[in-house]
Amino acid sequence: MKIQDEVAKSAEMCVIGAMLIDEKALANVIQTLKPEHFYFDELKATYQAILELSSEGKSIDFVSVLKKLVAEGFYDEKQAKQMLFECANVVPSNSQAEAYAKTVSDSFKARKLREIGTRLAFDGVFAENVNDVADEVMSELYEVVSEQHKKSLKTVGDIGTQVFEAYSSNGQDLENRSYTGFSRLDEILKGMSAGNLVILAARPKLGKTAFALSIAENVAKSGKTVVFFSLEMESSEIYERLLSKRAQIPMNTLIDRRFKDKRRPQKVRAEEVNKIAEAIDEIYALPIKINDNPGCTVNDIRLESRCVAAQANLRTKSCQERKLDSRDGEPPLGLIVIDYLQLMRSSKKFESRNLEVGAICRDLKCLASELGVPILCLSQLNRTSDESMRPSPSELRDSGSIEQDANKVILMWCIEKNLNERGFVESKTIGVDVALNRRGTTGVTLFNFNGNYMQFTELDRKYEESKPKKIWR
């Protein structure tokens, strides 16, 4: 028997023995220890028998477990009795049941990782299947690692202590809450906290990417890292939107490179170049990371985000060890932005697109909870004949489960188009409706959106619902 197998067997016997001596030990391990974690069949069958006794409301002791094993036909009475005696006698300390269970769980993970590596070496990876194999391996690796991120029961006393610490903390962001940077909207939204899945939805060509970028920029300016996954546009296109807003230079000027057009006045071109240079310096300092992979999956987002979070933690820890200001380290991960939901694909197959989008949405919710970071996910609304009508969450495209999984749903629509003296659209009045908020209130905030500069400005006036006109007959 290999050394790692001997360690696993010893731990498996100890955890079984601890439960035979004191059935209360089961309550300490049942959340983390599963039958499939056991390597040896006889011990796996014993643990399964203990779980069944517990679910039946029966006591767990030497005699009851012995009867259960014999009745199920796993062993004859003599063999079962000898095995249970060995388990009870090998336990060094009954109070260490959780430590034994952790060793069993870790041994299971080690075996799974070895299995994945062996299969890769045996089956081989070829150019024709490299992407499929990579997705499959990442999924399997995550399933192994994610065991440690599963949440367990907490007493209300422990939860209350945690809430009180959040209330009494002096400037510490224990909830990792990020704000949009728009005061009226934040008053309604109450920020985006760790574990939140926030859906930002609008009909096509309404400026939702520009609005999400404004939020990302404001979060970055508050001292947090933002990871922006763009499945629709290239990173250079995303950057141009940031640059246009910061430099206050129209998008068309940047796209057409008009600041290099010698037919225009030299003074105007020089001013534009200076504005661009200053804006680039300002944007350079922002902790925003952009991924423009159009085939991004939830596993890709998970892997990239976990790397960013781990990097930030390592640098902060390094600064603390060297007694440097923690601000010298990598800013903590404060927000993940995904643009947009309907362009994502799952690594698994589903019968319909609705089921696939629903599964992606649930995975994103789990990811937000796992990383302790809010996720702002953009989504499209179904088109209607009247684009100026206030939308509802039921218009979210491709899945009815988006609303169920989200903590907050923000809907955008165009209320009116503002024309200049020549009759051209100069800007739009946009309604931003917090239509669903599981922690806060709901309501509408008005914005002015200038598409030339990709700039949203919060308006002071309140939104008034237009009343339908009466039709007299």
PDB file of all heavy atoms in Angstrom, residues 133-164:
ATOM      1  N   VAL A 133     -10.634  19.569 -24.780  1.00  0.00           N
ATOM      2  CA  VAL A 133      -9.965  18.948 -23.634  1.00  0.00           C
ATOM      3  C   VAL A 133      -9.677  19.987 -22.554  1.00  0.00           C
ATOM      4  O   VAL A 133      -9.875  19.736 -21.359  1.00  0.00           O
ATOM      5  CB  VAL A 133      -8.654  18.264 -24.072  1.00  0.00           C
ATOM      6  CG1 VAL A 133      -7.851  17.798 -22.858  1.00  0.00           C
ATOM      7  CG2 VAL A 133      -8.952  17.086 -24.980  1.00  0.00           C
ATOM      8  N   ALA A 134      -9.246  21.186 -22.975  1.00  0.00           N
ATOM      9  CA  ALA A 134      -8.940  22.254 -22.011  1.00  0.00           C
ATOM     10  C   ALA A 134     -10.187  22.644 -21.227  1.00  0.00           C
ATOM     11  O   ALA A 134     -10.140  22.797 -19.993  1.00  0.00           O
ATOM     12  CB  ALA A 134      -8.369  23.471 -22.740  1.00  0.00           C
ATOM     13  N   ASP A 135     -11.327  22.808 -21.912  1.00  0.00           N
ATOM     14  CA  ASP A 135     -12.580  23.162 -21.232  1.00  0.00           C
ATOM     15  C   ASP A 135     -12.996  22.067 -20.258  1.00  0.00           C
ATOM     16  O   ASP A 135     -13.438  22.341 -19.131  1.00  0.00           O
ATOM     17  CB  ASP A 135     -13.700  23.383 -22.258  1.00  0.00           C
ATOM     18  CG  ASP A 135     -13.554  24.712 -22.987  1.00  0.00           C
ATOM     19  OD1 ASP A 135     -12.833  25.586 -22.464  1.00  0.00           O
ATOM     20  OD2 ASP A 135     -14.161  24.870 -24.062  1.00  0.00           O
ATOM     21  N   GLU A 136     -12.855  20.807 -20.695  1.00  0.00           N
ATOM     22  CA  GLU A 136     -13.248  19.678 -19.851  1.00  0.00           C
ATOM     23  C   GLU A 136     -12.372  19.596 -18.603  1.00  0.00           C
ATOM     24  O   GLU A 136     -12.870  19.401 -17.492  1.00  0.00           O
ATOM     25  CB  GLU A 136     -13.145  18.378 -20.650  1.00  0.00           C
ATOM     26  CG  GLU A 136     -13.613  17.150 -19.882  1.00  0.00           C
ATOM     27  CD  GLU A 136     -13.475  15.878 -20.690  1.00  0.00           C
ATOM     28  OE1 GLU A 136     -13.219  15.969 -21.921  1.00  0.00           O
ATOM     29  OE2 GLU A 136     -13.608  14.797 -20.102  1.00  0.00           O
ATOM     30  N   VAL A 137     -11.075  19.782 -18.793  1.00  0.00           N
ATOM     31  CA  VAL A 137     -10.147  19.711 -17.658  1.00  0.00           C
ATOM     32  C   VAL A 137     -10.400  20.853 -16.681  1.00  0.00           C
ATOM     33  O   VAL A 137     -10.391  20.651 -15.455  1.00  0.00           O
ATOM     34  CB  VAL A 137      -8.685  19.734 -18.154  1.00  0.00           C
ATOM     35  CG1 VAL A 137      -7.717  19.934 -16.990  1.00  0.00           C
ATOM     36  CG2 VAL A 137      -8.363  18.445 -18.887  1.00  0.00           C
ATOM     37  N   MET A 138     -10.630  22.063 -17.197  1.00  0.00           N
ATOM     38  CA  MET A 138     -10.903  23.199 -16.314  1.00  0.00           C
ATOM     39  C   MET A 138     -12.167  22.963 -15.499  1.00  0.00           C
ATOM     40  O   MET A 138     -12.231  23.309 -14.319  1.00  0.00           O
ATOM     41  CB  MET A 138     -11.014  24.494 -17.133  1.00  0.00           C
ATOM     42  CG  MET A 138      -9.666  25.077 -17.524  1.00  0.00           C
ATOM     43  SD  MET A 138      -9.767  26.795 -18.087  1.00  0.00           S
ATOM     44  CE  MET A 138     -10.693  26.613 -19.606  1.00  0.00           C
ATOM     45  N   SER A 139     -13.195  22.384 -16.136  1.00  0.00           N
ATOM     46  CA  SER A 139     -14.436  22.087 -15.423  1.00  0.00           C
ATOM     47  C   SER A 139     -14.187  21.076 -14.308  1.00  0.00           C
ATOM     48  O   SER A 139     -14.679  21.234 -13.191  1.00  0.00           O
ATOM     49  CB  SER A 139     -15.492  21.543 -16.397  1.00  0.00           C
ATOM     50  OG  SER A 139     -15.838  22.508 -17.352  1.00  0.00           O
ATOM     51  N   GLU A 140     -13.423  20.034 -14.619  1.00  0.00           N
ATOM     52  CA  GLU A 140     -13.140  19.001 -13.620  1.00  0.00           C
ATOM     53  C   GLU A 140     -12.281  19.558 -12.483  1.00  0.00           C
ATOM     54  O   GLU A 140     -12.513  19.240 -11.312  1.00  0.00           O
ATOM     55  CB  GLU A 140     -12.439  17.819 -14.283  1.00  0.00           C
ATOM     56  CG  GLU A 140     -13.335  17.026 -15.228  1.00  0.00           C
ATOM     57  CD  GLU A 140     -12.624  15.819 -15.821  1.00  0.00           C
ATOM     58  OE1 GLU A 140     -11.541  15.469 -15.310  1.00  0.00           O
ATOM     59  OE2 GLU A 140     -13.142  15.240 -16.793  1.00  0.00           O
ATOM     60  N   LEU A 141     -11.291  20.370 -12.846  1.00  0.00           N
ATOM     61  CA  LEU A 141     -10.437  20.970 -11.812  1.00  0.00           C
ATOM     62  C   LEU A 141     -11.248  21.867 -10.891  1.00  0.00           C
ATOM     63  O   LEU A 141     -11.058  21.858  -9.664  1.00  0.00           O
ATOM     64  CB  LEU A 141      -9.309  21.779 -12.462  1.00  0.00           C
ATOM     65  CG  LEU A 141      -8.184  20.983 -13.124  1.00  0.00           C
ATOM     66  CD1 LEU A 141      -7.240  21.917 -13.860  1.00  0.00           C
ATOM     67  CD2 LEU A 141      -7.420  20.165 -12.093  1.00  0.00           C
ATOM     68  N   TYR A 142     -12.162  22.621 -11.487  1.00  0.00           N
ATOM     69  CA  TYR A 142     -12.976  23.508 -10.651  1.00  0.00           C
ATOM     70  C   TYR A 142     -13.871  22.710  -9.708  1.00  0.00           C
ATOM     71  O   TYR A 142     -14.045  23.067  -8.547  1.00  0.00           O
ATOM     72  CB  TYR A 142     -13.839  24.430 -11.513  1.00  0.00           C
ATOM     73  CG  TYR A 142     -14.786  25.244 -10.655  1.00  0.00           C
ATOM     74  CD1 TYR A 142     -14.297  26.245  -9.821  1.00  0.00           C
ATOM     75  CD2 TYR A 142     -16.146  24.966 -10.639  1.00  0.00           C
ATOM     76  CE1 TYR A 142     -15.140  26.960  -9.005  1.00  0.00           C
ATOM     77  CE2 TYR A 142     -16.996  25.678  -9.819  1.00  0.00           C
ATOM     78  CZ  TYR A 142     -16.489  26.676  -9.007  1.00  0.00           C
ATOM     79  OH  TYR A 142     -17.334  27.361  -8.190  1.00  0.00           O
ATOM     80  N   GLU A 143     -14.451  21.611 -10.204  1.00  0.00           N
ATOM     81  CA  GLU A 143     -15.303  20.784  -9.356  1.00  0.00           C
ATOM     82  C   GLU A 143     -14.529  20.234  -8.164  1.00  0.00           C
ATOM     83  O   GLU A 143     -15.061  20.098  -7.068  1.00  0.00           O
ATOM     84  CB  GLU A 143     -15.895  19.632 -10.170  1.00  0.00           C
ATOM     85  CG  GLU A 143     -16.987  20.078 -11.138  1.00  0.00           C
ATOM     86  CD  GLU A 143     -17.516  18.936 -11.977  1.00  0.00           C
ATOM     87  OE1 GLU A 143     -17.130  17.786 -11.698  1.00  0.00           O
ATOM     88  OE2 GLU A 143     -18.313  19.191 -12.900  1.00  0.00           O
ATOM     89  N   VAL A 144     -13.253  19.917  -8.388  1.00  0.00           N
ATOM     90  CA  VAL A 144     -12.417  19.418  -7.299  1.00  0.00           C
ATOM     91  C   VAL A 144     -12.125  20.524  -6.300  1.00  0.00           C
ATOM     92  O   VAL A 144     -12.303  20.367  -5.084  1.00  0.00           O
ATOM     93  CB  VAL A 144     -11.091  18.841  -7.848  1.00  0.00           C
ATOM     94  CG1 VAL A 144     -10.158  18.463  -6.702  1.00  0.00           C
ATOM     95  CG2 VAL A 144     -11.368  17.617  -8.708  1.00  0.00           C
ATOM     96  N   VAL A 145     -11.679  21.675  -6.803  1.00  0.00           N
ATOM     97  CA  VAL A 145     -11.267  22.782  -5.929  1.00  0.00           C
ATOM     98  C   VAL A 145     -12.463  23.437  -5.247  1.00  0.00           C
ATOM     99  O   VAL A 145     -12.373  23.888  -4.105  1.00  0.00           O
ATOM    100  CB  VAL A 145     -10.479  23.835  -6.743  1.00  0.00           C
ATOM    101  CG1 VAL A 145     -10.118  25.028  -5.872  1.00  0.00           C
ATOM    102  CG2 VAL A 145      -9.217  23.212  -7.301  1.00  0.00           C
ATOM    103  N   SER A 146     -13.612  23.492  -5.926  1.00  0.00           N
ATOM    104  CA  SER A 146     -14.766  24.231  -5.405  1.00  0.00           C
ATOM    105  C   SER A 146     -15.343  23.623  -4.143  1.00  0.00           C
ATOM    106  O   SER A 146     -16.146  24.242  -3.463  1.00  0.00           O
ATOM    107  CB  SER A 146     -15.866  24.311  -6.469  1.00  0.00           C
ATOM    108  OG  SER A 146     -16.372  23.020  -6.761  1.00  0.00           O
ATOM    109  N   GLU A 147     -14.943  22.386  -3.798  1.00  0.00           N
ATOM    110  CA  GLU A 147     -15.432  21.763  -2.574  1.00  0.00           C
ATOM    111  C   GLU A 147     -15.161  22.652  -1.366  1.00  0.00           C
ATOM    112  O   GLU A 147     -15.979  22.754  -0.463  1.00  0.00           O
ATOM    113  CB  GLU A 147     -14.741  20.406  -2.367  1.00  0.00           C
ATOM    114  CG  GLU A 147     -15.142  19.338  -3.368  1.00  0.00           C
ATOM    115  CD  GLU A 147     -16.515  18.757  -3.080  1.00  0.00           C
ATOM    116  OE1 GLU A 147     -16.899  18.735  -1.906  1.00  0.00           O
ATOM    117  OE2 GLU A 147     -17.194  18.339  -4.022  1.00  0.00           O
ATOM    118  N   GLN A 148     -14.003  23.356  -1.378  1.00  0.00           N
ATOM    119  CA  GLN A 148     -13.624  24.152  -0.221  1.00  0.00           C
ATOM    120  C   GLN A 148     -14.407  25.464  -0.134  1.00  0.00           C
ATOM    121  O   GLN A 148     -14.388  26.138   0.879  1.00  0.00           O
ATOM    122  CB  GLN A 148     -12.126  24.453  -0.269  1.00  0.00           C
ATOM    123  CG  GLN A 148     -11.714  25.298  -1.457  1.00  0.00           C
ATOM    124  CD  GLN A 148     -10.221  25.408  -1.585  1.00  0.00           C
ATOM    125  OE1 GLN A 148      -9.497  25.207  -0.626  1.00  0.00           O
ATOM    126  NE2 GLN A 148      -9.742  25.739  -2.768  1.00  0.00           N
ATOM    127  N   HIS A 149     -15.113  25.829  -1.210  1.00  0.00           N
ATOM    128  CA  HIS A 149     -15.828  27.101  -1.223  1.00  0.00           C
ATOM    129  C   HIS A 149     -17.305  26.956  -0.854  1.00  0.00           C
ATOM    130  O   HIS A 149     -18.027  27.937  -0.795  1.00  0.00           O
ATOM    131  CB  HIS A 149     -15.722  27.750  -2.606  1.00  0.00           C
ATOM    132  CG  HIS A 149     -14.323  28.082  -2.991  1.00  0.00           C
ATOM    133  ND1 HIS A 149     -13.575  29.038  -2.349  1.00  0.00           N
ATOM    134  CD2 HIS A 149     -13.516  27.566  -3.953  1.00  0.00           C
ATOM    135  CE1 HIS A 149     -12.383  29.121  -2.896  1.00  0.00           C
ATOM    136  NE2 HIS A 149     -12.318  28.235  -3.867  1.00  0.00           N
ATOM    137  N   LYS A 150     -17.751  25.703  -0.647  1.00  0.00           N
ATOM    138  CA  LYS A 150     -19.159  25.507  -0.321  1.00  0.00           C
ATOM    139  C   LYS A 150     -19.450  26.033   1.073  1.00  0.00           C
ATOM    140  O   LYS A 150     -18.693  25.817   2.018  1.00  0.00           O
ATOM    141  CB  LYS A 150     -19.517  24.018  -0.431  1.00  0.00           C
ATOM    142  CG  LYS A 150     -19.503  23.532  -1.881  1.00  0.00           C
ATOM    143  CD  LYS A 150     -19.933  22.088  -1.992  1.00  0.00           C
ATOM    144  CE  LYS A 150     -19.962  21.645  -3.451  1.00  0.00           C
ATOM    145  NZ  LYS A 150     -20.327  20.217  -3.604  1.00  0.00           N
ATOM    146  N   LYS A 151     -20.567  26.692   1.206  1.00  0.00           N
ATOM    147  CA  LYS A 151     -20.919  27.309   2.476  1.00  0.00           C
ATOM    148  C   LYS A 151     -21.664  26.323   3.363  1.00  0.00           C
ATOM    149  O   LYS A 151     -22.376  25.448   2.879  1.00  0.00           O
ATOM    150  CB  LYS A 151     -21.772  28.557   2.231  1.00  0.00           C
ATOM    151  CG  LYS A 151     -21.029  29.646   1.478  1.00  0.00           C
ATOM    152  CD  LYS A 151     -21.858  30.897   1.366  1.00  0.00           C
ATOM    153  CE  LYS A 151     -21.075  32.005   0.675  1.00  0.00           C
ATOM    154  NZ  LYS A 151     -21.832  33.260   0.579  1.00  0.00           N
ATOM    155  N   SER A 152     -21.491  26.480   4.654  1.00  0.00           N
ATOM    156  CA  SER A 152     -22.132  25.586   5.618  1.00  0.00           C
ATOM    157  C   SER A 152     -23.065  26.386   6.511  1.00  0.00           C
ATOM    158  O   SER A 152     -23.164  27.617   6.411  1.00  0.00           O
ATOM    159  CB  SER A 152     -21.074  24.873   6.456  1.00  0.00           C
ATOM    160  OG  SER A 152     -20.255  25.820   7.119  1.00  0.00           O
ATOM    161  N   LEU A 153     -23.761  25.683   7.399  1.00  0.00           N
ATOM    162  CA  LEU A 153     -24.703  26.329   8.308  1.00  0.00           C
ATOM    163  C   LEU A 153     -23.976  27.256   9.279  1.00  0.00           C
ATOM    164  O   LEU A 153     -22.869  26.955   9.738  1.00  0.00           O
ATOM    165  CB  LEU A 153     -25.467  25.268   9.099  1.00  0.00           C
ATOM    166  CG  LEU A 153     -26.487  24.432   8.324  1.00  0.00           C
ATOM    167  CD1 LEU A 153     -26.976  23.284   9.187  1.00  0.00           C
ATOM    168  CD2 LEU A 153     -27.664  25.297   7.891  1.00  0.00           C
ATOM    169  N   LYS A 154     -24.606  28.378   9.591  1.00  0.00           N
ATOM    170  CA  LYS A 154     -24.090  29.310  10.589  1.00  0.00           C
ATOM    171  C   LYS A 154     -25.198  29.608  11.588  1.00  0.00           C
ATOM    172  O   LYS A 154     -26.370  29.667  11.222  1.00  0.00           O
ATOM    173  CB  LYS A 154     -23.651  30.632   9.937  1.00  0.00           C
ATOM    174  CG  LYS A 154     -22.504  30.527   8.968  1.00  0.00           C
ATOM    175  CD  LYS A 154     -22.191  31.908   8.391  1.00  0.00           C
ATOM    176  CE  LYS A 154     -21.078  31.849   7.370  1.00  0.00           C
ATOM    177  NZ  LYS A 154     -20.821  33.187   6.768  1.00  0.00           N
ATOM    178  N   THR A 155     -24.835  29.804  12.814  1.00  0.00           N
ATOM    179  CA  THR A 155     -25.831  30.197  13.809  1.00  0.00           C
ATOM    180  C   THR A 155     -26.146  31.678  13.629  1.00  0.00           C
ATOM    181  O   THR A 155     -25.316  32.450  13.124  1.00  0.00           O
ATOM    182  CB  THR A 155     -25.316  29.965  15.241  1.00  0.00           C
ATOM    183  OG1 THR A 155     -24.209  30.858  15.484  1.00  0.00           O
ATOM    184  CG2 THR A 155     -24.853  28.524  15.421  1.00  0.00           C
ATOM    185  N   VAL A 156     -27.339  32.079  14.065  1.00  0.00           N
ATOM    186  CA  VAL A 156     -27.701  33.496  13.945  1.00  0.00           C
ATOM    187  C   VAL A 156     -26.788  34.346  14.811  1.00  0.00           C
ATOM    188  O   VAL A 156     -26.560  35.529  14.525  1.00  0.00           O
ATOM    189  CB  VAL A 156     -29.183  33.728  14.332  1.00  0.00           C
ATOM    190  CG1 VAL A 156     -30.105  33.167  13.283  1.00  0.00           C
ATOM    191  CG2 VAL A 156     -29.507  33.155  15.706  1.00  0.00           C
ATOM    192  N   GLY A 157     -26.233  33.738  15.880  1.00  0.00           N
ATOM    193  CA  GLY A 157     -25.300  34.475  16.728  1.00  0.00           C
ATOM    194  C   GLY A 157     -24.035  34.838  15.971  1.00  0.00           C
ATOM    195  O   GLY A 157     -23.554  35.980  16.054  1.00  0.00           O
ATOM    196  N   ASP A 158     -23.483  33.878  15.202  1.00  0.00           N
ATOM    197  CA  ASP A 158     -22.282  34.146  14.405  1.00  0.00           C
ATOM    198  C   ASP A 158     -22.559  35.170  13.310  1.00  0.00           C
ATOM    199  O   ASP A 158     -21.746  36.053  13.041  1.00  0.00           O
ATOM    200  CB  ASP A 158     -21.773  32.849  13.765  1.00  0.00           C
ATOM    201  CG  ASP A 158     -21.216  31.875  14.795  1.00  0.00           C
ATOM    202  OD1 ASP A 158     -20.840  32.348  15.886  1.00  0.00           O
ATOM    203  OD2 ASP A 158     -21.178  30.665  14.509  1.00  0.00           O
ATOM    204  N   ILE A 159     -23.735  35.037  12.675  1.00  0.00           N
ATOM    205  CA  ILE A 159     -24.110  35.993  11.623  1.00  0.00           C
ATOM    206  C   ILE A 159     -24.272  37.382  12.214  1.00  0.00           C
ATOM    207  O   ILE A 159     -23.842  38.386  11.634  1.00  0.00           O
ATOM    208  CB  ILE A 159     -25.407  35.545  10.923  1.00  0.00           C
ATOM    209  CG1 ILE A 159     -25.191  34.182  10.233  1.00  0.00           C
ATOM    210  CG2 ILE A 159     -25.851  36.579   9.892  1.00  0.00           C
ATOM    211  CD1 ILE A 159     -26.470  33.551   9.728  1.00  0.00           C
ATOM    212  N   GLY A 160     -24.901  37.453  13.394  1.00  0.00           N
ATOM    213  CA  GLY A 160     -25.101  38.742  14.062  1.00  0.00           C
ATOM    214  C   GLY A 160     -23.790  39.415  14.401  1.00  0.00           C
ATOM    215  O   GLY A 160     -23.639  40.633  14.249  1.00  0.00           O
ATOM    216  N   THR A 161     -22.815  38.616  14.851  1.00  0.00           N
ATOM    217  CA  THR A 161     -21.491  39.162  15.169  1.00  0.00           C
ATOM    218  C   THR A 161     -20.831  39.740  13.917  1.00  0.00           C
ATOM    219  O   THR A 161     -20.220  40.812  13.948  1.00  0.00           O
ATOM    220  CB  THR A 161     -20.596  38.056  15.761  1.00  0.00           C
ATOM    221  OG1 THR A 161     -21.207  37.536  16.943  1.00  0.00           O
ATOM    222  CG2 THR A 161     -19.218  38.611  16.103  1.00  0.00           C
ATOM    223  N   GLN A 162     -20.983  39.010  12.821  1.00  0.00           N
ATOM    224  CA  GLN A 162     -20.405  39.466  11.552  1.00  0.00           C
ATOM    225  C   GLN A 162     -21.056  40.775  11.095  1.00  0.00           C
ATOM    226  O   GLN A 162     -20.363  41.696  10.637  1.00  0.00           O
ATOM    227  CB  GLN A 162     -20.610  38.380  10.499  1.00  0.00           C
ATOM    228  CG  GLN A 162     -19.971  38.688   9.158  1.00  0.00           C
ATOM    229  CD  GLN A 162     -20.191  37.558   8.149  1.00  0.00           C
ATOM    230  OE1 GLN A 162     -20.614  36.475   8.501  1.00  0.00           O
ATOM    231  NE2 GLN A 162     -19.919  37.844   6.888  1.00  0.00           N
ATOM    232  N   VAL A 163     -22.386  40.869  11.213  1.00  0.00           N
ATOM    233  CA  VAL A 163     -23.102  42.086  10.827  1.00  0.00           C
ATOM    234  C   VAL A 163     -22.702  43.252  11.722  1.00  0.00           C
ATOM    235  O   VAL A 163     -22.484  44.380  11.255  1.00  0.00           O
ATOM    236  CB  VAL A 163     -24.630  41.853  10.888  1.00  0.00           C
ATOM    237  CG1 VAL A 163     -25.381  43.171  10.707  1.00  0.00           C
ATOM    238  CG2 VAL A 163     -25.063  40.857   9.822  1.00  0.00           C
ATOM    239  N   PHE A 164     -22.574  42.991  13.035  1.00  0.00           N
ATOM    240  CA  PHE A 164     -22.195  44.051  13.972  1.00  0.00           C
ATOM    241  C   PHE A 164     -20.803  44.579  13.661  1.00  0.00           C
ATOM    242  O   PHE A 164     -20.557  45.787  13.726  1.00  0.00           O
ATOM    243  CB  PHE A 164     -22.252  43.530  15.409  1.00  0.00           C
ATOM    244  CG  PHE A 164     -21.886  44.559  16.436  1.00  0.00           C
ATOM    245  CD1 PHE A 164     -22.778  45.577  16.782  1.00  0.00           C
ATOM    246  CD2 PHE A 164     -20.632  44.548  17.043  1.00  0.00           C
ATOM    247  CE1 PHE A 164     -22.433  46.537  17.720  1.00  0.00           C
ATOM    248  CE2 PHE A 164     -20.288  45.504  17.974  1.00  0.00           C
ATOM    249  CZ  PHE A 164     -21.190  46.507  18.319  1.00  0.00           C
TER     250      PHE A 164
END
